[in-house]
Amino acid sequence: MTITRDQVLDRALGLAAWRQVADAVEADITSGRLKPGDRLAPESQLAERFGVNRHTVRRGLAMLAERGLVRATQGSGTFVETAPVVYPIGLKTRFSEVMAKVGREARGELVSAEHVPADKGIAEALGIEKGSPILQMHTIYRADGVPLSFARTCFPLPRFLGLDQHFAAKGSLTKAYKKLGIEDYKRLSTRITARMADPAEAAQLDIAPGRVVLIISSINVDLEGVRIQATQSRFVADRVELTIER
Amino acid sequence: MTITRDQVLDRALGLAAWRQVADAVEADITSGRLKPGDRLAPESQLAERFGVNRHTVRRGLAMLAERGLVRATQGSGTFVETAPVVYPIGLKTRFSEVMAKVGREARGELVSAEHVPADKGIAEALGIEKGSPILQMHTIYRADGVPLSFARTCFPLPRFLGLDQHFAAKGSLTKAYKKLGIEDYKRLSTRITARMADPAEAAQLDIAPGRVVLIISSINVDLEGVRIQATQSRFVADRVELTIER
DNA sequence: TGCGATTTGTGCGTATGTATA
DNA sequence: ATATACATACGCACAAATCGC
């Protein structure tokens, strides 16, 4: 493929070159010339095409990466990100079902599980005594292999002993609950905020530290209204769009 | 003041130099050695202190700026940002009522109002033809003077002519609606995501560009179910916490 | 398994423009 | 007007990761 040199750049004035590069690439994406999953031309080629230094290209791409439009992988290339998943937050939100509906393969992965005493916040959320034993799990949920959320989930302990192993085997919390005889559960409360990902979260979610995550703190109850689960999920902000069902 | 050279840098390996610079400066801030409003040492001095190139310092500071810890002003210096006011609110229905409940003085301020043709997105949201006339308002909501959200709200036009003037006078959308004979309305749909604030939003919300905003897109309907309002609000993420209670 | 080519990541040195004090 | 300090940009070099052979 031939490379067109000096694609329109308003050199003289106004916008910075790196911003113009970003705009041009963004236009390629929004117009559909580049589709989700496509690989961008290498930085060196883009540099040549726009008649700028590779650093200048990199700065433009960095901005797009921040906004979640593209994603760079060392040694491989820079790729157009897939469109965000619409994720309903309702009384009964089941991750696997949501994903299945959008036609994506979903699975929860158990990162760690441990028995620890409940701190003040967790104890309040679960309605138990501070210091009571709880099962604390860290999990990652992916859609088609791409991490969507990284969560810490806590369960009161005598009751949910072994839940982690069921979850690890099934990859679904709903199924793990069934193993323990809990046929149904629902959402009691949901709180939402957002901030930038810290390094640990970024590593788990495979994003650059500083990217935005939506923080969803929720409490689930069983059919008797007893609190069984307190979760803090961190969703990669530009990979999901939350919708509130009524 | 004397400049200490070669402040700990793990040169050999592992973390990138620019990241270590960022960490060091962040440590200065979180430890209190640098207080909100303080000016950092010039980039050139930091470069000398860490024994790196000024570009390397700049990259580190850029990350901190993105995260909202510092803010660079050309020709002046780089400053530690003032601590954000944390302000929790619930996502009920009426902004003024919510604020009143927490004992805050709330008022919506009309930034601009104009008659424009509906673009594709707005038309879909309001269930009207693309290009139909709409009233588009930009508003800022503050609690005790602190900006909480910056919103663009659209109304279909023949019906809501003059709504902007009522809103400007009352500072409340609910009251403005009453003037036009709409006694009640409710939320049809709500979508939530988050990203970094662009410069325009940052200016309106009085935050550093790159700070996180929660984006809430909502549609309201009147009692007959007719769509009357499409809003995109941008909340300063660390000034609000959305809660969905049931 | 290893090697080499490709591609992104990091860093240095330099130069020029522009806003601020 | 001058000096300072941040903003942008170029060129070069090498490291690190990935992928195909």
Side-chain angles (χ1 to χ4, degrees):
Chain A
M1 165 180 163
T2 63
I3 296 174
T4 355
R5 234 175 209 287
D6 279 17
Q7 186 169 325
V8 276
L9 265 213
D10 224 358
R11 221 41 197 257
L13 90 101
L15 276 76
W18 64 265
R19 192 172 291 278
Q20 295 182 55
V21 171
D23 289 348
V25 173
E26 182 176 357
D28 279 347
I29 295 174
T30 56
S31 74
R33 282 189 292 278
L34 285 172
K35 294 186 180 42
D38 280 2
R39 201 183 83 173
L40 273 62
E43 294 167 351
S44 51
Q45 281 188 32
L46 289 177
E48 194 174 351
R49 178 158 112 214
F50 291 108
V52 299
N53 190 274
R54 187 163 77 97
H55 279 308
T56 309
V57 170
R58 282 180 60 72
R59 184 148 181 208
L61 293 184
M63 195 189 85
L64 296 183
E66 247 165 52
R67 292 177 41 199
L69 271 76
V70 303
R71 170 144 89 142
T73 307
Q74 186 171 170
S76 180
T78 304
F79 301 83
V80 179
E81 280 276 36
T82 55
V85 174
V86 176
Y87 192 95
I89 304 261
L91 263 182
K92 299 187 177 182
T93 305
R94 307 287 185 266
F95 185 81
S96 321
E97 291 174 15
V98 170
M99 292 302 112
K101 222 172 256 177
V102 225
R104 306 181 75 160
E105 193 259 326
R107 188 178 171 82
E109 176 195 329
L110 184 62
V111 175
S112 70
E114 41 188 1
H115 294 179
V116 296
D119 66 24
K120 187 159 167 284
I122 300 294
E124 257 172 40
L126 287 176
I128 59 179
E129 292 290 314
K130 183 185 163 194
S132 307
I134 59 169
L135 167 63
Q136 176 179 280
M137 290 172 23
H138 281 89
T139 55
I140 295 181
Y141 282 89
R142 301 168 196 276
D144 293 338
V146 180
L148 283 192
S149 81
F150 174 58
R152 182 196 62 174
T153 310
C154 299
F155 311 85
L157 236 203
R159 184 172 180 187
F160 291 99
L161 204 63
L163 184 79
D164 48 332
Q165 276 143 41
H166 292 307
F167 178 81
K170 297 287 186 182
S172 151
L173 197 50
T174 309
K175 289 177 185 167
Y177 273 143
K178 286 230 172 83
K179 285 280 185 186
L180 292 187
I182 294 178
E183 291 299 322
D184 203 4
Y185 58 96
K186 60 180 184 179
R187 189 64 66 90
L188 173 66
S189 72
T190 307
R191 294 185 305 166
I192 305 174
T193 183
R195 59 171 168 75
M196 299 197 193
D198 65 35
E201 294 162 353
Q204 296 286 355
L205 290 169
D206 195 18
I207 55 175
R211 283 274 291 280
V212 179
V213 288
L214 278 160
I215 312 287
I216 304 183
S217 308
S218 58
I219 300 173
N220 282 347
V221 295
D222 63 17
L223 293 185
E224 280 78 45
V226 178
R227 295 165 185 223
I228 59 175
Q229 173 195 348
T231 305
Q232 189 192 59
S233 301
R234 277 139 287 190
F235 283 83
V236 181
D238 37 44
R239 307 221 256 248
V240 299
E241 184 168 58
L242 307 176
T243 72
I244 300 179
E245 294 183 335
R246 295 185 180 267
Chain B
M1 164 179 163
T2 63
I3 297 175
T4 358
R5 232 176 213 289
D6 279 17
Q7 185 169 323
V8 279
L9 264 213
D10 218 357
R11 219 39 195 261
L13 87 103
L15 276 74
W18 65 265
R19 193 172 291 279
Q20 296 183 53
V21 170
D23 289 346
V25 173
E26 182 175 359
D28 279 347
I29 296 174
T30 55
S31 74
R33 283 191 291 279
L34 283 172
K35 294 186 180 43
D38 281 1
R39 199 182 84 173
L40 273 61
E43 293 170 349
S44 52
Q45 281 188 31
L46 289 176
E48 194 173 354
R49 189 203 303 178
F50 290 107
V52 299
N53 189 275
R54 199 177 123 243
H55 279 309
T56 310
V57 169
R58 280 179 63 72
R59 204 178 302 188
L61 293 184
M63 193 189 88
L64 296 184
E66 249 164 51
R67 293 177 41 201
L69 272 75
V70 303
R71 173 179 204 167
T73 308
Q74 189 170 167
S76 177
T78 304
F79 301 85
V80 179
E81 278 280 35
T82 54
V85 181
V86 177
Y87 192 92
I89 67 165
L91 177 64
K92 309 293 191 214
T93 29
R94 308 289 185 264
F95 185 82
S96 319
E97 291 174 14
V98 172
M99 291 301 108
K101 226 172 246 176
V102 226
R104 298 282 192 133
E105 193 261 325
R107 188 178 170 82
E109 175 197 329
L110 184 62
V111 176
S112 71
E114 41 189 0
H115 295 180
V116 296
D119 66 25
K120 187 159 167 283
I122 299 295
E124 255 172 43
L126 287 176
I128 58 178
E129 292 291 314
K130 182 186 165 194
S132 308
I134 58 169
L135 167 64
Q136 174 178 279
M137 292 172 22
H138 281 89
T139 55
I140 295 180
Y141 281 89
R142 302 168 194 274
D144 292 341
V146 180
L148 282 193
S149 81
F150 173 58
R152 182 196 62 174
T153 309
C154 300
F155 310 85
L157 236 205
R159 184 171 178 187
F160 292 99
L161 204 65
L163 184 79
D164 49 331
Q165 276 144 42
H166 293 306
F167 178 81
K170 297 286 186 180
S172 153
L173 197 51
T174 309
K175 288 177 185 167
Y177 272 143
K178 286 229 172 83
K179 284 280 186 186
L180 292 187
I182 295 179
E183 291 298 323
D184 202 4
Y185 59 96
K186 60 180 182 179
R187 189 65 64 92
L188 172 66
S189 71
T190 307
R191 289 161 98 87
I192 304 175
T193 185
R195 57 169 168 77
M196 298 193 196
D198 65 35
E201 294 163 352
Q204 297 286 356
L205 290 168
D206 195 20
I207 56 175
R211 285 273 293 280
V212 178
V213 288
L214 277 160
I215 313 287
I216 304 181
S217 308
S218 57
I219 299 173
N220 282 346
V221 295
D222 63 17
L223 293 186
E224 281 78 43
V226 177
R227 295 163 186 226
I228 59 175
Q229 171 195 349
T231 305
Q232 188 190 60
S233 302
R234 278 141 287 191
F235 282 85
V236 181
D238 33 48
R239 290 181 191 158
V240 302
E241 183 169 59
L242 310 174
T243 78
I244 307 173
E245 299 286 347
R246 280 156 206 290

